[in-house]
Coordinates of all heavy atoms in Angstrom, one line a residue:
M25 N -19.3 -68.1 -16.2 CA -18.3 -67.1 -16.1 C -17.2 -67.3 -17.1 O -16.6 -66.5 -17.7 CB -17.7 -67.0 -14.6 CG -16.8 -65.8 -14.6 SD -17.7 -64.3 -14.8 CE -17.0 -63.4 -13.6
A26 N -16.9 -68.6 -17.5 CA -15.8 -68.9 -18.4 C -16.4 -68.4 -19.8 O -15.4 -68.0 -20.6 CB -15.7 -70.4 -18.5
W27 N -17.5 -68.4 -20.1 CA -18.0 -67.9 -21.4 C -17.9 -66.4 -21.5 O -17.6 -66.0 -22.6 CB -19.5 -68.4 -21.7 CG -19.6 -69.9 -22.0 CD1 -19.9 -70.8 -21.2 CD2 -19.2 -70.4 -23.3 NE1 -19.9 -72.0 -21.9 CE2 -19.4 -71.8 -23.2 CE3 -18.7 -70.0 -24.4 CZ2 -19.0 -72.7 -24.2 CZ3 -18.3 -70.7 -25.5 CH2 -18.6 -72.2 -25.4
L28 N -18.1 -65.7 -20.5 CA -17.9 -64.2 -20.6 C -16.4 -63.9 -20.7 O -16.1 -63.0 -21.5 CB -18.5 -63.6 -19.2 CG -18.4 -62.2 -19.1 CD1 -19.1 -61.4 -20.2 CD2 -18.9 -61.6 -17.8
I29 N -15.7 -64.7 -20.0 CA -14.2 -64.5 -20.1 C -13.8 -64.7 -21.5 O -13.0 -64.1 -22.1 CB -13.4 -65.2 -19.0 CG1 -13.7 -64.7 -17.6 CG2 -12.0 -65.3 -19.3 CD1 -13.3 -65.6 -16.5
L30 N -14.2 -65.9 -22.1 CA -13.9 -66.2 -23.4 C -14.4 -65.0 -24.5 O -13.4 -64.9 -25.5 CB -14.5 -67.6 -23.8 CG -14.1 -68.1 -25.1 CD1 -12.6 -68.3 -25.2 CD2 -15.0 -69.5 -25.3
F31 N -15.5 -64.7 -24.3 CA -16.0 -63.6 -25.1 C -15.3 -62.3 -25.1 O -14.8 -61.8 -26.1 CB -17.4 -63.3 -24.8 CG -18.1 -62.2 -25.6 CD1 -18.6 -62.5 -26.9 CD2 -18.3 -60.9 -25.2 CE1 -19.0 -61.5 -27.8 CE2 -18.8 -60.0 -26.0 CZ -19.1 -60.3 -27.2
V32 N -14.7 -62.0 -23.9 CA -13.9 -60.7 -23.8 C -12.5 -61.0 -24.5 O -12.0 -60.1 -25.1 CB -13.7 -60.3 -22.3 CG1 -12.8 -59.2 -22.1 CG2 -15.2 -59.8 -21.8
A33 N -12.0 -62.2 -24.1 CA -10.7 -62.6 -24.9 C -10.8 -62.5 -26.3 O -10.0 -62.1 -27.0 CB -10.4 -64.1 -24.5
G34 N -12.0 -63.0 -27.0 CA -12.3 -62.9 -28.4 C -12.3 -61.5 -28.8 O -11.8 -61.2 -29.9
L35 N -13.0 -60.5 -28.1 CA -13.1 -59.0 -28.4 C -11.7 -58.6 -28.5 O -11.2 -57.8 -29.3 CB -13.9 -58.4 -27.4 CG -15.5 -58.7 -27.6 CD1 -16.3 -57.9 -26.6 CD2 -15.9 -58.5 -29.0
L36 N -10.8 -58.9 -27.4 CA -9.5 -58.5 -27.3 C -8.6 -58.9 -28.5 O -7.7 -58.3 -29.0 CB -8.8 -58.7 -26.0 CG -9.3 -57.9 -24.8 CD1 -8.7 -58.5 -23.6 CD2 -8.8 -56.4 -25.0
E37 N -9.1 -60.0 -29.1 CA -8.4 -60.6 -30.3 C -8.6 -59.7 -31.5 O -7.7 -59.4 -32.3 CB -8.7 -62.0 -30.6 CG -7.9 -62.6 -31.8 CD -8.2 -63.9 -32.1 OE1 -9.1 -64.6 -31.5 OE2 -7.5 -64.5 -32.9
V38 N -9.8 -59.2 -31.5 CA -10.2 -58.3 -32.7 C -9.4 -56.9 -32.4 O -8.9 -56.4 -33.3 CB -11.7 -58.0 -32.6 CG1 -12.1 -56.9 -33.6 CG2 -12.5 -59.2 -32.8
V39 N -9.3 -56.4 -31.2 CA -8.5 -55.3 -30.9 C -7.2 -55.4 -31.5 O -6.6 -54.5 -32.1 CB -8.6 -54.9 -29.4 CG1 -7.6 -53.8 -29.2 CG2 -10.0 -54.5 -29.0
W40 N -6.4 -56.4 -31.1 CA -5.0 -56.6 -31.5 C -4.9 -56.8 -32.9 O -4.0 -56.3 -33.5 CB -4.1 -57.6 -30.6 CG -4.5 -59.0 -30.9 CD1 -5.1 -60.0 -30.0 CD2 -3.9 -59.8 -32.0 NE1 -5.1 -61.2 -30.6 CE2 -4.4 -61.1 -31.8 CE3 -3.2 -59.6 -33.0 CZ2 -4.0 -62.2 -32.6 CZ3 -2.8 -60.6 -33.9 CH2 -3.2 -61.9 -33.7
A41 N -5.8 -57.5 -33.6 CA -5.8 -57.6 -35.1 C -5.9 -56.3 -35.8 O -5.1 -55.9 -36.7 CB -6.9 -58.6 -35.5
V42 N -6.9 -55.5 -35.4 CA -7.1 -54.2 -35.9 C -5.9 -53.2 -35.7 O -5.4 -52.4 -36.6 CB -8.5 -53.5 -35.5 CG1 -8.5 -52.1 -35.9 CG2 -9.7 -54.3 -35.9
A43 N -5.4 -53.3 -34.4 CA -4.2 -52.5 -34.0 C -3.1 -52.8 -34.8 O -2.3 -52.0 -35.3 CB -3.9 -52.5 -32.6
L44 N -2.9 -54.1 -35.1 CA -1.7 -54.5 -35.9 C -1.9 -53.9 -37.3 O -0.9 -53.5 -38.0 CB -1.8 -56.0 -35.9 CG -0.5 -56.7 -36.4 CD1 0.7 -56.4 -35.5 CD2 -0.7 -58.3 -36.4
K45 N -3.0 -54.1 -38.0 CA -3.3 -53.3 -39.3 C -3.0 -52.0 -39.2 O -2.3 -51.4 -40.1 CB -4.8 -53.7 -39.6 CG -5.3 -52.9 -40.8 CD -4.7 -53.5 -42.1 CE -5.3 -52.7 -43.3 NZ -4.5 -53.1 -44.5
Q46 N -3.6 -51.3 -38.2 CA -3.3 -49.8 -38.1 C -1.8 -49.4 -37.8 O -1.4 -48.3 -38.0 CB -4.2 -49.2 -37.0 CG -5.6 -49.5 -37.3 CD -6.1 -48.7 -38.6 OE1 -6.3 -49.4 -39.6 NE2 -6.3 -47.5 -38.6
S47 N -1.0 -50.3 -37.3 CA 0.4 -50.1 -37.2 C 1.2 -49.9 -38.4 O 2.4 -49.6 -38.2 CB 1.1 -51.2 -36.3 OG 1.3 -52.3 -37.0
K48 N 0.6 -50.2 -39.4 CA 1.2 -50.0 -40.7 C 2.6 -50.7 -40.8 O 3.6 -50.2 -41.0 CB 1.4 -48.6 -41.2 CG 0.1 -47.8 -41.3 CD 0.4 -46.4 -41.5 CE -0.9 -45.5 -41.8 NZ -1.9 -45.6 -40.7
G49 N 2.5 -52.1 -40.7 CA 3.7 -52.9 -40.8 C 4.6 -52.7 -39.7 O 5.8 -52.7 -39.8
L50 N 4.0 -52.5 -38.5 CA 4.9 -52.3 -37.1 C 5.6 -51.0 -37.1 O 6.6 -50.8 -36.3 CB 5.7 -53.4 -36.9 CG 5.1 -54.9 -36.9 CD1 6.2 -56.0 -36.7 CD2 4.0 -55.0 -36.0
S51 N 5.3 -50.0 -37.9 CA 5.8 -48.8 -37.9 C 5.3 -47.6 -37.1 O 5.8 -46.5 -37.0 CB 6.0 -48.3 -39.4 OG 4.8 -48.0 -39.9
E52 N 4.1 -47.8 -36.6 CA 3.4 -46.8 -35.6 C 3.4 -47.5 -34.3 O 2.7 -48.4 -33.9 CB 1.9 -46.8 -36.1 CG 1.8 -46.2 -37.5 CD 2.0 -44.6 -37.5 OE1 1.9 -44.0 -36.5 OE2 2.3 -44.2 -38.5
P53 N 4.4 -46.9 -33.5 CA 4.4 -47.5 -32.1 C 3.2 -47.5 -31.2 O 3.1 -48.4 -30.5 CB 5.6 -46.6 -31.4 CG 6.0 -45.7 -32.4 CD 5.1 -45.8 -33.7
G54 N 2.3 -46.5 -31.2 CA 1.2 -46.5 -30.5 C 0.3 -47.7 -30.8 O -0.1 -48.4 -29.8
Y55 N 0.1 -48.0 -32.0 CA -0.9 -49.1 -32.3 C -0.1 -50.3 -32.1 O -0.8 -51.4 -31.7 CB -1.2 -49.0 -33.9 CG -2.2 -48.0 -34.2 CD1 -1.9 -46.9 -34.9 CD2 -3.6 -48.1 -33.7 CE1 -3.0 -45.9 -35.2 CE2 -4.5 -47.2 -33.9 CZ -4.1 -46.0 -34.7 OH -5.2 -45.2 -34.9
L56 N 1.2 -50.4 -32.3 CA 1.9 -51.7 -31.9 C 1.8 -52.0 -30.4 O 1.6 -53.1 -30.1 CB 3.5 -51.5 -32.4 CG 4.2 -52.7 -32.0 CD1 3.7 -53.9 -32.7 CD2 5.8 -52.4 -32.4
I57 N 1.9 -51.0 -29.5 CA 1.8 -51.2 -28.1 C 0.3 -51.7 -27.8 O 0.1 -52.6 -27.0 CB 2.1 -49.9 -27.3 CG1 3.6 -49.7 -27.5 CG2 1.6 -50.0 -25.9 CD1 4.0 -48.3 -27.0
I58 N -0.7 -51.1 -28.5 CA -2.0 -51.6 -28.3 C -2.2 -53.0 -28.7 O -2.9 -53.7 -28.0 CB -3.0 -50.6 -29.0 CG1 -3.1 -49.2 -28.4 CG2 -4.4 -51.2 -29.0 CD1 -3.8 -48.2 -29.2
A59 N -1.6 -53.4 -29.8 CA -1.6 -54.7 -30.2 C -1.0 -55.7 -29.3 O -1.6 -56.7 -29.0 CB -1.0 -54.9 -31.7
I60 N 0.2 -55.4 -28.8 CA 0.9 -56.2 -27.9 C 0.1 -56.5 -26.5 O -0.1 -57.6 -26.1 CB 2.2 -55.8 -27.7 CG1 3.2 -56.0 -29.0 CG2 2.9 -56.5 -26.6 CD1 4.5 -55.3 -28.9
V61 N -0.3 -55.3 -26.0 CA -1.0 -55.4 -24.7 C -2.3 -56.1 -24.9 O -2.6 -57.1 -24.0 CB -1.2 -53.9 -24.2 CG1 -2.1 -54.0 -22.9 CG2 0.1 -53.3 -23.8
S62 N -3.1 -55.9 -25.9 CA -4.4 -56.5 -26.0 C -4.2 -58.0 -26.4 O -5.0 -58.9 -25.9 CB -5.3 -55.9 -27.1 OG -4.7 -55.8 -28.3
M63 N -3.1 -58.4 -27.1 CA -2.7 -59.8 -27.5 C -2.5 -60.5 -26.0 O -3.0 -61.5 -25.9 CB -1.6 -59.8 -28.3 CG -1.2 -61.2 -28.9 SD 0.2 -61.2 -29.9 CE -0.2 -60.1 -31.2
L64 N -1.7 -59.8 -25.3 CA -1.2 -60.5 -23.9 C -2.6 -60.7 -23.0 O -2.9 -61.8 -22.5 CB -0.3 -59.7 -23.2 CG 1.1 -59.8 -23.8 CD1 2.1 -58.8 -23.1 CD2 1.7 -61.1 -23.8
F65 N -3.4 -59.8 -23.0 CA -4.6 -59.9 -22.2 C -5.6 -60.9 -22.8 O -6.2 -61.7 -22.1 CB -5.4 -58.6 -22.0 CG -4.8 -57.7 -20.9 CD1 -4.0 -56.6 -21.1 CD2 -5.0 -58.1 -19.6 CE1 -3.5 -55.9 -20.2 CE2 -4.5 -57.3 -18.6 CZ -3.7 -56.2 -18.8
S66 N -5.7 -60.9 -24.2 CA -6.4 -61.9 -24.8 C -6.1 -63.3 -24.6 O -6.8 -64.3 -24.1 CB -6.5 -61.7 -26.3 OG -7.3 -62.6 -27.1
L67 N -4.8 -63.5 -24.5 CA -4.2 -64.9 -24.3 C -4.4 -65.3 -22.9 O -4.8 -66.4 -22.5 CB -2.7 -64.9 -24.7 CG -2.4 -65.0 -26.2 CD1 -1.0 -64.9 -26.5 CD2 -2.8 -66.3 -26.8
G68 N -4.1 -64.3 -22.0 CA -4.4 -64.6 -20.6 C -5.8 -65.0 -20.2 O -6.1 -65.9 -19.5
L69 N -6.8 -64.2 -20.9 CA -8.2 -64.6 -20.6 C -8.6 -65.9 -21.2 O -9.3 -66.6 -20.7 CB -9.1 -63.4 -21.2 CG -9.0 -62.1 -20.3 CD1 -9.8 -61.0 -21.0 CD2 -9.5 -62.3 -18.9
L70 N -8.0 -66.1 -22.4 CA -8.3 -67.5 -23.0 C -7.8 -68.6 -22.1 O -8.5 -69.6 -21.8 CB -7.5 -67.6 -24.4 CG -7.6 -68.9 -25.1 CD1 -9.0 -69.4 -25.3 CD2 -6.7 -69.0 -26.2
A71 N -6.6 -68.4 -21.5 CA -6.1 -69.5 -20.6 C -7.0 -69.7 -19.5 O -7.1 -70.7 -19.0 CB -4.5 -69.1 -20.1
M72 N -7.6 -68.5 -18.9 CA -8.4 -68.6 -17.8 C -9.8 -69.3 -18.1 O -10.1 -70.1 -17.4 CB -8.8 -67.2 -17.2 CG -7.7 -66.5 -16.5 SD -8.2 -64.9 -16.1 CE -9.7 -65.0 -15.2
A73 N -10.2 -69.0 -19.4 CA -11.4 -69.8 -19.9 C -11.2 -71.3 -20.0 O -12.1 -72.0 -19.8 CB -11.9 -69.1 -21.1
L74 N -10.0 -71.6 -20.6 CA -9.8 -73.0 -20.8 C -9.6 -73.8 -19.5 O -9.5 -75.0 -19.6 CB -8.5 -73.1 -21.7 CG -8.8 -72.7 -23.2 CD1 -7.4 -72.8 -24.0 CD2 -9.9 -73.4 -23.8
R75 N -9.6 -73.2 -18.4 CA -9.5 -73.9 -17.1 C -10.8 -74.7 -17.0 O -10.8 -75.8 -16.4 CB -9.2 -73.1 -16.0 CG -8.0 -72.4 -15.8 CD -8.1 -71.4 -14.6 NE -6.8 -70.6 -14.4 CZ -6.7 -69.7 -13.7 NH1 -7.7 -69.1 -13.1 NH2 -5.5 -69.1 -13.7
T76 N -11.9 -74.3 -17.6 CA -13.3 -74.8 -17.4 C -13.7 -75.3 -18.7 O -14.3 -76.6 -18.8 CB -14.2 -73.7 -16.9 OG1 -13.8 -73.2 -15.8 CG2 -15.6 -74.2 -16.6
L77 N -13.6 -74.6 -19.7 CA -14.1 -75.1 -21.0 C -13.1 -76.0 -21.8 O -11.9 -76.0 -21.7 CB -14.2 -73.9 -22.0 CG -15.2 -72.8 -21.6 CD1 -15.2 -71.6 -22.5 CD2 -16.5 -73.3 -21.5
P78 N -13.6 -77.0 -22.5 CA -12.8 -77.9 -23.3 C -12.0 -77.1 -24.3 O -12.6 -76.1 -25.0 CB -13.6 -79.0 -23.9 CG -15.1 -78.4 -23.8 CD -15.0 -77.3 -22.7
L79 N -10.9 -77.6 -24.7 CA -10.0 -76.9 -25.7 C -10.6 -76.8 -27.0 O -10.7 -75.8 -27.7 CB -8.6 -77.7 -25.9 CG -7.6 -77.1 -26.8 CD1 -7.3 -75.7 -26.6 CD2 -6.5 -78.1 -27.1
S80 N -11.3 -78.0 -27.4 CA -11.9 -77.9 -28.8 C -13.0 -77.0 -29.1 O -13.2 -76.4 -30.1 CB -12.6 -79.3 -29.0 OG -13.6 -79.6 -28.1
V81 N -13.6 -76.5 -27.9 CA -14.8 -75.5 -28.0 C -14.1 -74.1 -27.7 O -14.4 -73.1 -28.4 CB -15.8 -75.7 -26.9 CG1 -16.9 -74.7 -26.8 CG2 -16.5 -77.2 -27.3
G82 N -13.3 -74.0 -26.5 CA -12.9 -72.7 -26.2 C -12.0 -72.1 -27.2 O -12.2 -70.9 -27.6
Y83 N -11.1 -72.9 -27.8 CA -10.0 -72.3 -28.8 C -10.8 -71.9 -30.0 O -10.5 -70.9 -30.7 CB -8.9 -73.2 -29.0 CG -7.9 -72.6 -30.0 CD1 -7.0 -71.6 -29.5 CD2 -7.9 -73.0 -31.2 CE1 -6.2 -71.0 -30.5 CE2 -6.9 -72.5 -32.1 CZ -6.0 -71.5 -31.7 OH -5.2 -70.9 -32.5
A84 N -11.7 -72.8 -30.5 CA -12.5 -72.5 -31.6 C -13.3 -71.3 -31.5 O -13.4 -70.5 -32.6 CB -13.3 -73.7 -32.1
V85 N -14.0 -71.2 -30.5 CA -14.9 -69.9 -30.3 C -14.0 -68.7 -30.2 O -14.4 -67.7 -30.8 CB -15.8 -70.1 -29.1 CG1 -16.4 -68.8 -28.6 CG2 -16.8 -71.2 -29.3
W86 N -12.9 -68.8 -29.5 CA -11.9 -67.6 -29.3 C -11.4 -67.2 -30.7 O -11.6 -65.9 -31.1 CB -10.9 -68.0 -28.4 CG -9.8 -66.9 -28.3 CD1 -9.9 -65.8 -27.5 CD2 -8.5 -67.0 -28.8 NE1 -8.7 -65.1 -27.6 CE2 -7.8 -65.8 -28.3 CE3 -7.7 -68.0 -29.6 CZ2 -6.4 -65.6 -28.7 CZ3 -6.5 -67.7 -29.8 CH2 -5.8 -66.5 -29.4
T87 N -11.1 -68.1 -31.6 CA -10.5 -67.7 -32.9 C -11.6 -67.3 -33.7 O -11.6 -66.2 -34.6 CB -9.8 -68.8 -33.6 OG1 -10.5 -69.9 -33.6 CG2 -8.5 -69.2 -32.8
G88 N -12.9 -68.0 -33.6 CA -14.0 -67.6 -34.5 C -14.5 -66.1 -34.2 O -14.8 -65.3 -35.1
I89 N -14.5 -65.7 -32.9 CA -14.9 -64.4 -32.5 C -13.9 -63.4 -33.1 O -14.2 -62.4 -33.6 CB -14.9 -64.1 -31.0 CG1 -16.2 -64.9 -30.5 CG2 -15.0 -62.7 -30.6 CD1 -16.1 -65.1 -28.9
G90 N -12.5 -63.7 -33.1 CA -11.5 -62.9 -33.7 C -11.7 -62.7 -35.0 O -11.6 -61.6 -35.5
V91 N -11.9 -63.8 -35.9 CA -12.0 -63.7 -37.3 C -13.2 -62.9 -37.7 O -13.2 -62.1 -38.5 CB -12.1 -65.2 -37.9 CG1 -12.5 -65.2 -39.2 CG2 -10.8 -66.0 -37.7
L92 N -14.4 -63.4 -37.0 CA -15.6 -62.6 -37.4 C -15.6 -61.2 -37.1 O -16.1 -60.2 -37.8 CB -16.8 -63.3 -36.5 CG -18.2 -63.0 -36.9 CD1 -18.6 -63.2 -38.4 CD2 -19.3 -63.6 -36.1
G93 N -15.0 -60.9 -35.8 CA -15.0 -59.5 -35.4 C -13.9 -58.7 -36.4 O -14.3 -57.5 -36.7
A94 N -12.9 -59.2 -36.6 CA -11.9 -58.6 -37.5 C -12.5 -58.3 -38.8 O -12.3 -57.3 -39.4 CB -10.6 -59.3 -37.6
A95 N -13.3 -59.2 -39.4 CA -13.8 -59.1 -40.7 C -14.9 -57.9 -40.6 O -15.0 -57.1 -41.6 CB -14.6 -60.5 -41.3
V96 N -15.7 -58.0 -39.7 CA -16.9 -56.9 -39.5 C -16.1 -55.6 -39.4 O -16.6 -54.6 -40.0 CB -17.7 -57.3 -38.3 CG1 -18.6 -56.1 -38.0 CG2 -18.5 -58.5 -38.6
V97 N -15.0 -55.4 -38.7 CA -14.5 -54.1 -38.4 C -13.8 -53.7 -39.8 O -14.0 -52.5 -40.1 CB -13.3 -54.2 -37.4 CG1 -12.5 -52.9 -37.5 CG2 -14.0 -54.2 -36.0
G98 N -13.4 -54.7 -40.5 CA -12.7 -54.4 -41.8 C -13.8 -53.9 -42.8 O -13.5 -52.9 -43.5
I99 N -15.0 -54.6 -42.8 CA -15.9 -54.1 -43.7 C -16.6 -52.8 -43.3 O -16.8 -51.8 -44.0 CB -16.9 -55.2 -43.7 CG1 -16.4 -56.4 -44.4 CG2 -18.2 -54.8 -44.5 CD1 -17.2 -57.7 -44.2
L100 N -16.9 -52.7 -41.9 CA -17.6 -51.5 -41.5 C -16.8 -50.2 -41.4 O -17.3 -49.1 -41.6 CB -18.4 -51.7 -40.2 CG -19.5 -52.8 -40.3 CD1 -20.2 -53.0 -38.9 CD2 -20.5 -52.4 -41.3
W101 N -15.6 -50.5 -40.9 CA -14.8 -49.2 -40.6 C -13.5 -49.0 -41.4 O -13.0 -47.8 -41.6 CB -14.4 -49.2 -39.0 CG -15.5 -48.8 -38.2 CD1 -16.2 -47.6 -38.0 CD2 -16.4 -49.8 -37.4 NE1 -17.1 -47.8 -37.2 CE2 -17.2 -49.1 -36.8 CE3 -16.2 -51.1 -37.2 CZ2 -18.2 -49.6 -35.9 CZ3 -17.1 -51.7 -36.4 CH2 -18.1 -51.0 -35.7
L102 N -13.1 -50.0 -42.1 CA -11.9 -49.9 -42.8 C -12.2 -49.9 -44.5 O -11.2 -50.0 -45.1 CB -10.9 -50.9 -42.5 CG -10.4 -51.0 -41.1 CD1 -9.4 -52.1 -40.8 CD2 -9.9 -49.7 -40.7
G103 N -13.3 -49.9 -44.8 CA -13.8 -49.9 -46.2 C -13.5 -51.1 -47.1 O -13.4 -51.0 -48.2
E104 N -13.3 -52.3 -46.4 CA -13.2 -53.4 -47.1 C -14.6 -53.9 -47.9 O -15.6 -53.7 -47.2 CB -12.6 -54.6 -46.2 CG -11.3 -54.2 -45.7 CD -10.7 -55.3 -44.7 OE1 -11.3 -56.3 -44.6 OE2 -9.7 -55.0 -44.1
G105 N -14.4 -54.4 -48.9 CA -15.7 -54.9 -49.5 C -16.2 -56.0 -49.1 O -15.6 -56.8 -48.4
I106 N -17.5 -56.3 -49.5 CA -18.2 -57.5 -49.1 C -19.1 -58.0 -50.2 O -20.0 -57.3 -50.7 CB -19.0 -57.5 -47.7 CG1 -19.7 -58.8 -47.4 CG2 -20.0 -56.3 -47.8 CD1 -20.2 -58.8 -46.0
G107 N -18.8 -59.2 -50.6 CA -19.8 -59.8 -51.7 C -20.6 -60.9 -51.1 O -20.4 -61.2 -49.9
W108 N -21.3 -61.6 -51.8 CA -22.3 -62.6 -51.4 C -21.3 -63.7 -50.6 O -21.8 -64.4 -49.7 CB -23.1 -63.1 -52.4 CG -22.5 -63.9 -53.5 CD1 -22.0 -63.5 -54.7 CD2 -22.3 -65.4 -53.5 NE1 -21.5 -64.5 -55.3 CE2 -21.6 -65.7 -54.6 CE3 -22.5 -66.4 -52.4 CZ2 -21.2 -67.0 -55.1 CZ3 -22.2 -67.7 -52.9 CH2 -21.5 -67.9 -54.0
M109 N -20.1 -64.2 -51.3 CA -19.5 -65.2 -50.9 C -18.8 -64.9 -49.5 O -18.8 -65.7 -48.6 CB -18.3 -65.6 -51.8 CG -17.8 -66.9 -51.5 SD -16.4 -67.6 -52.8 CE -17.5 -67.6 -54.2
K110 N -18.3 -63.7 -49.3 CA -17.7 -63.3 -48.0 C -18.8 -63.2 -46.9 O -18.8 -63.7 -45.8 CB -17.1 -62.0 -48.0 CG -16.4 -61.6 -46.8 CD -15.8 -60.1 -46.8 CE -14.6 -60.0 -47.6 NZ -13.8 -58.8 -47.5
A111 N -20.0 -62.7 -47.3 CA -21.1 -62.6 -46.4 C -21.6 -64.1 -45.8 O -21.9 -64.2 -44.8 CB -22.4 -61.9 -46.9
L112 N -21.6 -65.0 -46.9 CA -22.0 -66.4 -46.6 C -21.0 -67.0 -45.7 O -21.3 -67.6 -44.6 CB -22.2 -67.2 -47.9 CG -22.4 -68.7 -47.6 CD1 -23.8 -68.9 -46.8 CD2 -22.5 -69.4 -49.0
A113 N -19.7 -66.7 -45.9 CA -18.6 -67.2 -45.0 C -18.8 -66.8 -43.7 O -18.6 -67.5 -42.7 CB -17.2 -67.0 -45.7
L114 N -19.0 -65.4 -43.5 CA -19.1 -64.8 -42.2 C -20.4 -65.4 -41.5 O -20.4 -65.6 -40.2 CB -19.2 -63.3 -42.3 CG -17.9 -62.7 -42.7 CD1 -18.1 -61.2 -42.9 CD2 -16.8 -63.1 -41.8
L115 N -21.5 -65.6 -42.2 CA -22.7 -66.2 -41.7 C -22.3 -67.7 -41.1 O -22.9 -68.0 -40.0 CB -23.8 -66.2 -42.7 CG -25.1 -66.9 -42.1 CD1 -25.7 -66.1 -41.0 CD2 -26.1 -67.0 -43.3
L116 N -21.7 -68.5 -41.9 CA -21.2 -69.7 -41.5 C -20.4 -69.8 -40.3 O -20.5 -70.8 -39.4 CB -20.5 -70.5 -42.7 CG -21.5 -70.9 -43.8 CD1 -20.7 -71.4 -45.0 CD2 -22.5 -71.8 -43.5
L117 N -19.4 -68.8 -40.2 CA -18.5 -68.7 -39.0 C -19.3 -68.3 -37.7 O -19.2 -69.0 -36.7 CB -17.5 -67.6 -39.3 CG -16.3 -68.0 -40.0 CD1 -15.5 -66.7 -40.5 CD2 -15.4 -68.9 -39.2
A118 N -20.3 -67.3 -37.9 CA -21.1 -67.1 -36.8 C -22.0 -68.2 -36.3 O -22.1 -68.6 -35.1 CB -22.0 -65.9 -37.2
S119 N -22.5 -69.1 -37.4 CA -23.3 -70.2 -37.1 C -22.5 -71.2 -36.4 O -22.8 -71.9 -35.4 CB -23.8 -70.8 -38.3 OG -24.7 -69.9 -39.1
G120 N -21.2 -71.3 -36.7 CA -20.4 -72.4 -36.1 C -20.0 -72.0 -34.6 O -20.0 -72.8 -33.7
I121 N -19.8 -70.6 -34.4 CA -19.6 -70.2 -33.0 C -20.8 -70.5 -32.1 O -20.6 -71.1 -31.1 CB -19.3 -68.7 -33.0 CG1 -18.0 -68.4 -33.6 CG2 -19.3 -68.2 -31.5 CD1 -17.7 -67.0 -33.9
V122 N -22.0 -70.2 -32.6 CA -23.2 -70.5 -31.8 C -23.4 -72.0 -31.6 O -23.8 -72.4 -30.5 CB -24.5 -69.9 -32.6 CG1 -25.7 -70.4 -32.0 CG2 -24.4 -68.4 -32.6
L123 N -23.2 -72.8 -32.7 CA -23.3 -74.2 -32.6 C -22.3 -74.8 -31.5 O -22.6 -75.7 -30.7 CB -23.1 -74.9 -33.8 CG -24.3 -74.7 -34.8 CD1 -24.1 -75.3 -36.1 CD2 -25.6 -75.4 -34.2
L124 N -21.1 -74.4 -31.5 CA -20.0 -74.7 -30.5 C -20.6 -74.4 -29.1 O -20.3 -75.2 -28.2 CB -18.7 -74.1 -30.8 CG -17.9 -74.8 -31.9 CD1 -16.7 -74.0 -32.5 CD2 -17.4 -76.2 -31.6
K125 N -21.0 -73.1 -29.0 CA -21.6 -72.8 -27.7 C -22.6 -73.7 -27.2 O -22.8 -74.2 -26.1 CB -22.0 -71.3 -27.7 CG -22.9 -70.8 -26.6 CD -22.1 -70.8 -25.3 CE -22.9 -70.2 -24.1 NZ -23.4 -71.0 -23.2
L126 N -23.5 -74.0 -28.2 CA -24.7 -74.9 -27.7 C -24.3 -76.3 -27.5 O -24.9 -77.0 -26.8 CB -25.8 -74.9 -28.8 CG -26.5 -73.5 -29.0 CD1 -27.4 -73.6 -30.3 CD2 -27.3 -73.1 -27.7
S127 N -23.2 -76.7 -28.1 CA -22.7 -78.1 -27.9 C -22.2 -78.2 -26.5 O -22.0 -79.5 -26.0 CB -21.6 -78.5 -29.0 OG -20.4 -77.9 -28.7
H128 N -21.8 -77.3 -26.0 CA -21.0 -77.5 -24.6 C -22.1 -77.5 -23.6 O -22.8 -77.0 -22.9 CB -20.1 -76.3 -24.3 CG -19.4 -76.6 -23.0 ND1 -19.6 -75.9 -22.0 CD2 -18.3 -77.2 -22.7 CE1 -18.9 -76.1 -20.9 NE2 -18.1 -77.1 -21.3

């Protein structure tokens, strides 16, 4: 169950990062509220997952999901470019997340 909670926490990290971007420098209150609420829920779920998971694995996986998810959203929906180096970096991040999960 801790892994599912951690995964949802990571997805909420993506939500708040994207909402923060969409808030246009904190000037769009709707997106700012989404960012703050999803940030709080993400942190709360991370705290719950860390009751069971080791910090070294849980925190790294949480941030990895956030980084990977935000990058994918940026590429697929926000029109950010992707070259071979960025693709390789994202593949390495995804590999790291999987390896951390398998290590536990």
Side-chain angles (χ1 to χ4, degrees):
M25 189 59 136
W27 283 104
L28 178 60
I29 291 169
L30 184 63
F31 180 73
V32 173
L35 292 179
L36 286 171
E37 186 180 5
V38 175
V39 170
W40 73 254
V42 173
L44 197 60
K45 170 71 173 166
Q46 297 300 98
S47 77
K48 296 178 176 60
L50 308 179
S51 64
E52 297 282 338
Y55 285 111
L56 179 58
I57 291 169
I58 291 169
I60 292 169
V61 169
S62 57
M63 189 182 298
L64 291 173
F65 277 104
S66 180
L67 286 171
L69 290 173
L70 173 63
M72 287 175 57
L74 289 178
R75 289 179 186 162
T76 306
L77 300 173
L79 175 65
S80 61
V81 173
Y83 183 73
V85 169
W86 177 71
T87 57
I89 292 170
V91 169
L92 189 60
V96 169
V97 169
I99 292 163
L100 296 179
W101 286 286
L102 301 179
E104 298 175 7
I106 183 167
W108 71 268
M109 197 175 299
K110 186 186 281 188
L112 177 61
L114 294 175
L115 179 63
L116 290 171
L117 279 167
S119 300
I121 292 168
V122 170
L123 288 173
L124 282 168
K125 166 66 171 106
L126 294 175
S127 76
H128 182 256

